[in-house]
Amino acid sequence: KEAVPAPAMRVGWGVEPDSLSPFVSYTQAGAEVFSLLYDSLVNFDENLVPQGNLASSWSLSSNQLEWTFNLVEGVKWHDGENFTSEDVKFSYELMMESGLGLYSDFLTGITEIECPDENTVIIRTEKPKANMLMITAPIVPEHIWKDVAFEDLELWENEHPIGTGPFSFVQWNSGEFLKLKANSSYFNGKPAIEELIFVLYANNDTMAQALKTGELDAAINMNVNQVKALKKEAGISVISAAAFGFTELSVNASLDPELQGNSNLQDPVVRQALEWALDKQNIIDVAYAGQGIPGTTLVPPDNFWHYEPAAGKKRSFNPEKAKSLLEAAGYRDSNGDGIREDGSGNSLIFNFMLRAKSAEEVKAGQMISGMLKNIGIGTEIETVDDGVLVDRIYAGEFDLFIWGWGTDVDPTTILAVMSTDQIGNLSDCNYSNPVYDEMLLEQSTLMNKTERQKMVWKMQEILYDDAPYIILFYDAAVQAVRTDRWQGWKQIPENGPYFFNLTSINYKNVFPVSGN
Amino acid sequence: MKSVMEASALHVHFKARGSFIQEIFSNHQKKVKAVDGVNIQIGEGEIFSLVGESGSGKTTVGKALLALEHKTSGSILFNGEEIPSGTGKSSRRFRQKAQMIFQDPYQSLNPRDIVLDIVGEPLVVNNLIKTSAEKRERVIEALGWAGLRPQEEYLYRLPHELSGGQRQRVAIAAALILNPQFIVADEPVSMLDVSIRADILRLMVEMRDRLGISYLFITHDLSLAWLISDRIAIMYLGKIMEIGSSELIVGSSLHPYTQALISVMPLPRVTKNKKRLILKGETPDPIDLPVGCRFNPRCPVVQDICRRQEPELAEVTPGHQVACHFPKKLLVGAP
Amino acid sequence: MKETHAIRRRKAGQFMDSFRKNRMGMTGAIMLCFFLIMAVAGPLLLPYNAMDFGVADDVFAPPSREHILGQDDMGRDVLRALISGARISLSVGILSTLISMVAGTFLGIVAGYSGGKIDVLMMRFTDVFLVLPWLPLMLILAAVLGSSIWNIILVIGLTSWAGTARVVRAQTLTVKERQFIERARAIGAGNGYIMTRHILPNVFPLVFANTILVSAVAIISETTLSFLGMGDTLHPSWGMMLHYAFESGAASIGAYWFLLPPGLCVVGVVLSFTFLGYAFDEILNPKLKKR
Amino acid sequence: MNRNYLLKKIFQSLITIFLVLIINYILFRVMPGDPLQMLMRNPKASGEAVARTKALFGLDRPWYAQFFLYLRQLLHGDLGLSFLHKKPVLEVIASRILPTLLLAGCAEVIAILVGTVIGIVSAWKRGKKIDVISLSFALVTYSMPTFWLGIVFVAFFSVFLRIFPTTGMVTPGATFISEFAHMVDIGRHLVLPTLTLSLVMIGEYALIMRNSLIDILTEDFITTARAKGFTEQYVLRRHAVPNALLPMVTIVAINLGLVIGGTIQVETIFSWPGLGRLMYEALMNRDYPLLQGIFLLVSISVIGANFLADILYSYLDPRVKG
Amino acid sequence: MEMLSVRNLVTQFSIKAGQVKAVDGISFTLNEGETLGLVGESGCGKTTTALSIAGLLPSEGRVVSGEILLSGIDLLTLSQEELRKRRWKDISVIFQGAMNALNPVMKVGDQITEVIMLHDNKNYQEARKQVRELFSLVEIDPDRIDGYPHEFSGGMKQRVMIAMALACRPKIVIGDEPTTALDVMVQAQILNLLERLCRDIKMGLLLITHDLSVLGEIADKVAVMYAGKIVEMGSTEDILTQYRHPYTEKLVHSFPDIYGKREMVSSIPGDPPNLIDPPSGCRFHPRCSLATIRCRTEEPGYIDLGGGHITACHEIRGYEK
Ligand SMILES: Nc1ncnc2c1ncn2[C@@H]1O[C@H](COP(=O)(O)OP(=O)(O)OP(=O)(O)O)[C@@H](O)[C@H]1O
Ligand SMILES: Nc1ncnc2c1ncn2[C@@H]1O[C@H](COP(=O)(O)OP(=O)(O)OP(=O)(O)O)[C@@H](O)[C@H]1O
Ligand SMILES: [Mg+2]
Ligand SMILES: [Mg+2]
C-alpha cells in the first residue's frame, strides 16, 4: 500500500532499548539490537551451543588459564574501517574497567588480554573460567569509542552505532521506531531482510490489531490471551514458547532480626506450606491464559543446568499436605477466625505486594491469596508500583510479592541472586546460606561440564528445600509472525521463541515468501 | 434640641483603583474623596434629609455614621459619645441603637429566608433572645409596628412572595425590632412604585412621632425630602452645599446648585414653558476635584474667586447655611 | 416549625415541577436511578466474589445462558462484576465530589468574601491546581498515596476542587454585593455568620449544578486512573474492568462482552450525571431562565 | 491594550508560576521510589559509581540546596538531565513536543469549532428538536472515557473497516516519494486520535457556548438589534455571538491542562509518540527531572495560554480595564 | 395629521399559569410632531404596548386582536420580512436602561452606522458622516464616535440611543422610560433634547413612563393606563388638573408638589391586579374608594368629556368639573 521498498520487515515490540550504547543499556531489547548491529567473539547456534562468530576458532591452554581466539579475516566495520584484534581488546577492557553494561559481569576473572597480531586475541584468566564461551559481549570499534572520555561513557548516547553485525543502523525515533538495514558486505552473507523496522507499541492490544491488519510482520511482546485468538488467523503463526525466565512468589526469608518482615516466614516449613497450597496450573490457566509451565527451580527446563526435584520430593498442589505440615509445626487456628496463629498467638497474615504494572501478576496474586486462605494463611494485598516495591524490598518491609527474572544460558547470573553478598542489591528475598555461597564461587571455575552440572544441581536442590522463592512457573514468550509474508522462521532452541532468544538467527535467515 | 448624631469634619476617602504600577510601587495613592468634610447634627426625633446627585457621597455619609464605612478623619458622636469601631461590646450596643434601611427591598432581603428569620435576625445575631418562641413574639410585635397585619400571615413568606411595599415594611420591621434610636434610611422608596411610596414615608414619620426615632433620610428626590423632613442638606461631590429647614431650602434656596435642582424638578402640573436652569456638562470626576469651589465648572454665575478659593459653609440667616461666595436667589423655577 | 417545612416542600415542589418538564433531566434521573438500584440492590440479587475464579475454559467464555454477559479474563461472571462495579464507581464519584465540593466551596467563599490579598493568594493557589496537568497530577498523587479506594477518592477530590472554587468565588462576588449582606453587617453580624448564613445558601444552588457535573468528571477520572493501572484491584470498578479487559487484549481477541458493558455503564452513569447537572443548571441558573 | 492590565496579568502569572515551581518540586520529593535506584539501572554499581551519579544529578546535597540549585538551573534554561534518557530534559521534551502539538492542536481546533457551532445552534433553537439532538450528541461523547472511545475506534475503524492505521504517527520506517506523501501518511494516522480527543471535548464547549449565548440573547441590546430591523442571522452573528464567545476564550485556555490529560490516554492507545506518553513513561520510571520538566512546561504553557486569553479577552471586550 | 393609530389592541403572554392579558383593548392616536405620554404603575402594560407596536414581542407574547395603523397601513397584516424592513425606518425605540441597550463590545458609532447602512443603502463612510451629524444633534462630541459604551456616562448613552433612534428619520419614536435611572439634572437635559427634536424634526413621540410628573414638561397628550386598559386620556392639562378617573386622581396626588401645600402625598391602597385573572367589571374597583356594585359587575365604557378628553368610569358624576 505504502511506498516501501520490499522486502522490509516490521516487528512490533512493547519496549524499546533504553539506549543504543552497550555500556548504558540494560534491557533485553537493547541486547537484541546489539546482536544485530554488533558481533561477538562467539555466539550461539540454534541449540544454544556456542559457535564462532568473529572468532573462527579458539584453543585453551593446558593450565586452563589462557584462551587463544583466531579471528575471521577481512571483517569490516559498517563505516568501512577494518576490524582488528585491538578492537576486541579495547571492548573487553573498557567493559571490565567501567563495570558498565549488561556484559561486564561475564568478564570477571579475566586478567590480561593480548593481541599478538591483527587476527589473534589471547585472553588470560586468574582461575579457570567456565563461562568463557558464553560471552556474547558486542565488540565495539576502537576508532570511534576511543574518543569517548571515560567519565562520559555513561552518558554517551552512541547515536549512530557502527558495528560489524548483519544489520547497520539507519534511524531511531525514540518512542516510535528503530530502523536498520541489511549489511550488504556482512562477512557471513547479507540477510534477506533489506529493512528491519522495530515499531514501538504503547499497548499490546493495538499491536495485535496491527499484526492482523498487516501493518506488522511480526510481534514480540504479545499478550498471553492473544494466543488462542491469533491461532485462528490465517497467515499468522503464533507461538507461546518457553522463554528464558520465570515468575516467582518471593518470600522474605531474612534471618536478620532487624528486618521488618513477618518472622514466621523465617520458618522453612511455612514457606514450603505456601508452595503445597498453590495450584500452579490453575494460576497459569486463569491468570496467564494457559501460557507457561509450572515451575520448580531457578534454572528453566530445557536447559542443561536445570534441576528437577525427584517425584517424592516435588511439592505439587496439595492443600491437605500444607495444612498437616502447618498443624505439625504448631500453627493452628486457635481463635476460630479461619487464620492460623503461631505459638505466641500471632496470626499468619502476610503482607502481599503485587506490581500494578502487571495485570497478570495481580491476577495471579489474587488467586494465590485465595489459595492461601484455604490453608488458613491470610494475606493483605497491596498493589504498588515498582518504585514502591523496590523501596520496600530494600527496607525489608515486605513479606510476599510476585516478580520475575530473566535468565541466561549460563546459570551463574541467576544463581548469584541468592548469594549472601547480594542482600541489599540483587537479592529480593534476603536469603543467606554460607554453603550455597561457597558453591556458587566454585562452580564457575569447574571446566568439566558434568562436574559443574552436579554442583549447580545441588545448589538448586538447597534452594528448593529452603524455598525462599516459590517458582510459580517458567514464562512463556508469546510471539507471532506473519508466515504469509516471510518464511524460514525457526524456534530457538527447539520450542523456544522466534525473537529474544539470545541469537539473531531468524533475522539473518528468514526470506520473503515469493511473489510478495 | 438634643442632638442624637453629630458628625464633624467627617472625611471618608477611598483608594482609587489606580494603575497596577502605582498600586505596587507608589505611596502616592489617588483618592476618591467620597465625603470631604461634612458636618451634620441630627436632633432627637428629627428627620434630616441628605439630597444630592448620584455619587455625591450620600450613602457613604450614612454608612460612616453607622460605622459601616471606615472614616478617614473627623468625629462622629452618638449621644455625645464617639461611635465604636471594632466588634466589641460597645459596638454591639451601638449597632442595636442605630439601624439602617436600604434602598432596594428586592436586594436587601435574603431571597432564601422567610420573614420570621429576616426580621428576627438582629435578635439572633446579637444574642438577645433565648427561645424561638420569644423570637416569634418579638417579630410579630415588630411586624405590627411596620403595619403588616395580620402578622401571622407574613411570618413564613419568602421575599418574592411579597409586594415591593410589603418587602420594604419587612425591612423596616427588621430595623425597628431592636428599638433603635437612630435610623439611616438610604433611598427607602426610590425603587418603589409611586403609588406605594406614600405608605412607607408615612410609616417613617409615624415611627418618629410614636417612638421618637431620628432619621437620616437619604434621597435624590428633593420633593420627597421637602415632604417629610425637618431639615435638608444638599450634597455635591462629597461636600454639603446648603443646609436649612425644608421650607428654606425649597422656598428660598441660596446656592445656585440647589436652585438648579429645584428648577429641573418634575412636578405634577403642566410645566411646559417653565424656566429651567439646566446645568451644562456632568458631575466632575471625584478623583480630580476642581480647584476652588467644586461646583465652579457648572455654575451659571461663576466668578474668578470661585476658581481659586473654596467657600466654607456659612450661616447666612439663622438655621440656613450655604457654601457659596455669592449666595443669592436667581430667578428660576415656579411654573 | 411546621410552616418552615411547608415552605421547603413548596419550594421543592416548584423545583420538581420544572424538573419534570425537563426532558434531559428526567432521562438523567431515570438512568441514575437505574444505576443506583443496580449499586444498592444488585449485589443482593447477584452477589459477586472477586475471588471466584474459574478454570481454563471459563476465561473469556462468551455469553451463555448461565452467564448472560459472558465471563471475564479470570472466568468470573461479567454481569456480576458489572453490578459490583456500580457500587464502587458511584461511591467514588459521589464521595470524591463531596470532598471537592466542600474544599472548593470553602475556599471559594472565603476568597471571594475576604477579597484583597487573601483572595489574590488563594486564587493563585487555585490557579496552580488548574494549570498543573490534571491527569498526571492525579497519577502522581495516586502513586504517592498508594492505590486504595480511599486514596483514589481523596486524589480525585483533591485535584478537582479548583474549578468549583472558581465558580463559587465568582458567585460569592456577586452575592457579596447584594444589599442583604450589607444589611446583615449593619445589624452586627460577623463574617463567619454572613458567610455561612447568607452567602452559602445563595451560592449553593449554582454550586449544586456544578457539583453534579463534577461527579460526572470524577467518575471518568476514576475510570481513567483505574485504566492506567492506578485503581484498587480488590475493589474492581468499571474502570478496573476496562483496565483488565485492555491489558488482557479483550479488544483484539474479540471479547466485546468484557469491553463494551463496563464502558457503556460508565458512559451511562456519567451521562446521567451530565444530564442532571445540565437540567439543574437550566432550572437553578437565573441567567438561563426563559425570557 | 492597556499597559497596566498587561503588567498586572504578567505579575499574576509570575506568582502562579512560582507557586507551580514550589509545588512541582515538593511533589516529586515526596514520591515513593528511590530515584537513585531508578537512576542506576546497573544494579551492581559500585559505591563510587553511585556517588558519582548522585553528584551528577545533585542528589547528594540537602533538599533546600537542591531546590536552589534547581531554581538557578532553571534560570539558565536548564531543566536538568533525564534519569531515564540520560539526556537534557529539554532535548527529550523537544523531540516529543511536535506530535503532541499537532494532535492536541487539531483536536482543540475541531472541538472548539464543532462545540461552538453546536452551542450556537442549540441556543438559537432552544427547546427545539435540533437543540435536543445536537446537545445530546455532545453530552454523550462528553461522557465517554477517552481511552475507551479510542479502543472502540481502533476496533471499528482500523480492524473492522480497515480504513485507518491502528497506531503511530507515520508508517514506521517508510520512505516517502514526496513530502506530500509523507503529509498524507501523517494525516491518515492523525484521524482517529484527533477524533477521539476532540469528541470528548466538544460537549463542554457546546454547553458553555449554549449557556453563554442564551444568557446574551436575553440582553436588551439584542432586542435593540432586532428592533433595528436586522435579520435574525445578522443579530446572532454580529451582536450575540461575539459577546457569547467571551467566556469561551477563558475556558479554552484553562482546558489546555485537561487536554494534556487527554493526550496521555490517546497517545497510549494509539502509540502516538508525544509528550503525553513520554510523561506516562517518565512517571512509571520515576524520571523526576523529566516529569518536573514536563509539568513545568505544561503549566507554563497553560499559564501562558491563560495570559494570551486574557489579552485576547481584553481585546474582544473593551470593558476590561487594568 | 394622524400618523399612528392603535385600535383595540389586545396582547397576551402565554405562561405556565395561563394567559397574561397585559394589554386588553387599548386605542389611541398619535399625530405628527405630537408627544403622547403613556403613564401607569409598574406592570400595567406600557412596555407591552410599545413592543406590540414595534413588533418586538418575545416569543411567548402575541397580539391577539386589534389594528396598528401607521400612515394607514396595518402593521399586523405585514409579513415578518416586510415588517423587518420597515423597522427603525418607520418606528424606532429608545429603550429603558440605555446601559444595557447598547452592545458592549461594539463601538457606539458602528452600532448606528450599521442601521443606516441597512435601511438607507449608504456605504460606511457616508453612514459615518451622518452619525457625526447625529452626534452633534444630540450634543455629543462627534469625535467620540469610536468609543465603546462603557466609556460613556449614563446620560451620554441615553443620548447615543436617541441618536440611534433618529438615524433613519423615523415617523414615530417610542421612548420607553428613557429617563428612569438618570439623575434629575441629566433627566432634564434629555427631556429638553427630546422636546426640541420633536419640535424640529416633526416626529411623533410615544413617551412611556411611570413618572407622571415628567409628562407635565413634555407631553401634549397623556393616556393613563391601568391593568392593561387606558382608563383616561386627554391633553396634559386635562389629565393633571381636570382628571375625572379616581385612579388618575390618586396618581396625580402621589407626587408632592413643592409649589403646593406641604401635605403627605396619597397612596393607592391594595395591590396591583393579577392580569391572568383580572377583576370583573371595572378593573380598578377593588382599590377604588368610590366603587359601587355596578363597578364590580359592569365594565365602564369611555365617556367623552370633549376636547379629546375621555375617561372610563361609572362614577364620573362624583367629580365636579
Ligand atoms: N467602596 C468604595 N470604594 C471606592 N469608591 C467608593 C466606594 N464606595 C463609594 N465610592 C465612591 O464614592 C463616591 C460616593 O459614593 P456614594 O455611594 O456615597 O454616593 P451616593 O450619593 O450614595 O450615590 P447614589 O445616589 O448613586 O447612591 C462615588 O464616587 C463612589 O464611586
Ligand atoms: N415575557 C412575558 N411573559 C409573561 N408575562 C409578561 C411578559 N412580559 C410582561 N409580562 C406581564 O405583562 C404585564 C405588563 O408588563 P409590561 O412590561 O408591559 O409592564 P410595564 O407597564 O412596562 O411595567 P414597568 O413599569 O415595570 O416597566 C405584567 O403583568 C408582566 O408581568
Ligand atoms: Mg447611595
Ligand atoms: Mg416597562
Side-chain angles (χ1 to χ4, degrees), chain C residues 58-134:
Chain C
D58 293 331
V59 174
F60 284 129
S64 62
R65 181 114 33 91
E66 237 169 301
H67 304 282
I68 299 169
L69 289 179
Q71 282 161 285
D72 69 5
D73 58 330
M74 294 182 80
R76 292 168 296 199
D77 186 71
V78 172
L79 180 61
R80 286 168 190 259
L82 214 54
I83 287 172
S84 125
R87 209 173 257 203
I88 309 292
S89 291
L90 279 174
S91 351
V92 172
I94 292 168
L95 291 178
S96 53
T97 303
L98 227 57
I99 295 179
S100 131
M101 188 181 73
V102 171
T105 309
F106 176 78
L107 280 155
I109 288 185
V110 170
Y113 183 77
S114 312
K117 292 202 179 68
I118 296 182
D119 183 28
V120 170
L121 267 180
M122 279 174 126
M123 278 302 112
R124 295 286 83 77
F125 182 68
T126 311
D127 276 355
V128 172
F129 278 82
L130 283 175
V131 303
L132 283 178
W134 142 91

Side-chain angles (χ1 to χ4, degrees), chain B residues 63 68 95 99 102-104 107-114 116-118 121-122 125-126 156 158 161 174, chain C residues 1 3-4 7 10-11 177-180 182-190 193 197-198 201-202 205:
Chain B
K63 284 191 190 163
L68 289 174
R95 289 246 175 282
Q99 285 294 313
F102 292 91
Q103 177 177 20
D104 189 347
Q107 289 268 331
S108 65
L109 307 181
N110 187 340
R112 304 191 164 263
D113 280 352
I114 53 174
L116 175 65
D117 290 334
I118 293 171
E121 194 171 26
V125 167
N126 293 299
Y156 297 100
L158 289 164
E161 296 166 323
Chain C
M1 294 276 102
E3 290 91 339
T4 332
I7 286 167
R10 186 146 38 100
K11 281 174 85 174
E177 296 306 319
R178 307 265 291 269
Q179 266 181 6
F180 63 83
E182 186 103 47
R183 196 183 80 84
R185 217 174 286 134
I187 59 171
Y193 178 89
R197 269 295 278 110
H198 289 293
N202 281 288

Side-chain angles (χ1 to χ4, degrees), chain A residues 2-5 10 16 18-19 24-27 98-102 104-105 150-151 154-155 157 159 171 173-177 179 195 197-203 205-207 209-210 212-216 233 357 385-388 390-391 394 413 422 425-426, chain D residues 31-34 37-45 49 52-53 56-57 81 84-87 91 95-96 99 151 154-155 158-159 162 164-177 185 188-189 267-273 277 281 283-286:
Chain A
E2 307 90 16
V4 189
R10 293 204 168 79
E16 60 178 358
D18 44 349
S19 165
V24 178
S25 172
Y26 288 92
T27 54
S98 66
L100 291 171
L102 274 171
S104 57
D105 276 345
F150 186 77
E151 307 81 57
E154 218 176 332
L155 292 179
E157 283 293 329
E159 272 173 12
Q171 184 187 8
N173 284 8
S174 176
E176 280 184 275
F177 62 87
K179 185 175 173 182
E195 288 189 343
I197 301 149
F198 291 97
V199 187
L200 178 64
Y201 278 78
N203 66 77
D205 206 44
T206 39
M207 183 155 74
Q209 307 279 38
K212 280 197 242 170
T213 63
E215 287 166 57
L216 289 178
E233 297 280 321
K357 230 184 198 174
D385 70 33
D386 290 1
V388 178
V390 170
D391 280 357
Y394 281 109
T413 343
Q422 290 294 344
N425 205 340
L426 278 187
Chain D
M31 271 182 80
D34 183 0
Q37 202 54 49
M38 296 290 170
L39 192 53
M40 303 294 302
R41 271 166 303 165
N42 175 6
K44 282 155 277 184
R52 203 173 59 218
T53 316
L56 184 65
F57 292 95
L81 280 178
L84 186 63
H85 298 257
K86 305 242 167 143
K87 276 194 223 175
E91 209 174 290
S95 70
R96 295 290 199 93
I151 298 172
V154 172
S158 303
V159 179
R162 306 215 170 180
F164 294 114
T166 47
T167 48
M169 187 168 81
V170 289
T171 306
T175 31
F176 296 98
I177 352 170
D185 189 55
R188 286 186 56 233
H189 283 82
E267 288 180 6
T268 306
I269 299 295
F270 292 96
S271 297
W272 191 264
R277 221 172 96 207
E281 282 159 14
L283 180 68
M284 289 303 148
N285 290 293
R286 294 288 176 280

Side-chain angles (χ1 to χ4, degrees), chain E residues 200-310:
Chain E
D200 297 354
I201 303 181
K202 290 241 168 288
M203 61 176 191
L205 175 64
L206 178 62
L207 186 70
I208 292 176
T209 178
H210 64 267
D211 188 351
L212 187 62
S213 59
V214 306
L215 293 181
E217 305 199 3
I218 178 169
D220 301 307
K221 286 198 300 190
V222 173
V224 181
M225 261 186 101
Y226 183 79
K229 289 193 180 288
I230 291 180
V231 292
E232 188 165 10
M233 181 157 63
S235 68
T236 312
E237 178 80 39
D238 287 342
I239 297 297
L240 287 175
T241 55
Q242 310 289 87
Y243 40 76
R244 280 292 175 273
H245 196 282
Y247 177 68
T248 315
E249 181 196 15
K250 287 256 160 59
L251 201 57
V252 172
H253 285 279
S254 306
F255 293 89
D257 182 352
I258 51 170
Y259 294 104
K261 234 171 93 198
R262 186 170 169 221
E263 63 185 11
M264 204 55 186
V265 290
S266 71
S267 59
I268 305 170
D271 294 326
N274 174 358
L275 290 183
I276 294 175
D277 185 17
S280 58
C282 172
R283 291 194 174 175
F284 188 57
H285 84 253
R287 301 169 77 182
C288 181
S289 51
L290 304 172
T292 62
I293 297 178
R294 184 168 169 225
C295 298
R296 239 174 278 163
T297 51
E298 192 187 321
E299 194 176 334
Y302 287 114
I303 296 165
D304 194 340
L305 300 166
H309 188 182
I310 54 167

Side-chain angles (χ1 to χ4, degrees), chain D residues 18-69:
Chain D
F18 187 70
L19 286 176
V20 164
L21 274 176
I22 294 178
I23 290 186
N24 203 354
Y25 190 80
I26 295 175
L27 207 58
F28 292 105
R29 295 306 111 172
V30 297
M31 271 182 80
D34 183 0
L36 205 63
Q37 202 54 49
M38 296 290 170
L39 192 53
M40 303 294 302
R41 271 166 303 165
N42 175 6
K44 282 155 277 184
S46 64
E48 187 196 335
V50 170
R52 203 173 59 218
T53 316
K54 262 189 163 179
L56 184 65
F57 292 95
L59 292 172
D60 51 344
R61 323 238 187 129
W63 66 268
Y64 53 88
Q66 286 187 42
F67 182 62
F68 285 116
L69 189 73

Side-chain angles (χ1 to χ4, degrees), chain E residues 98-118:
Chain E
M99 28 296 282
N100 303 323
L102 291 170
N103 185 342
V105 305
M106 209 167 157
K107 291 173 182 165
V108 287
D110 289 350
Q111 300 190 44
I112 305 178
T113 46
E114 63 170 2
V115 71
I116 296 174
M117 285 159 72
L118 175 74

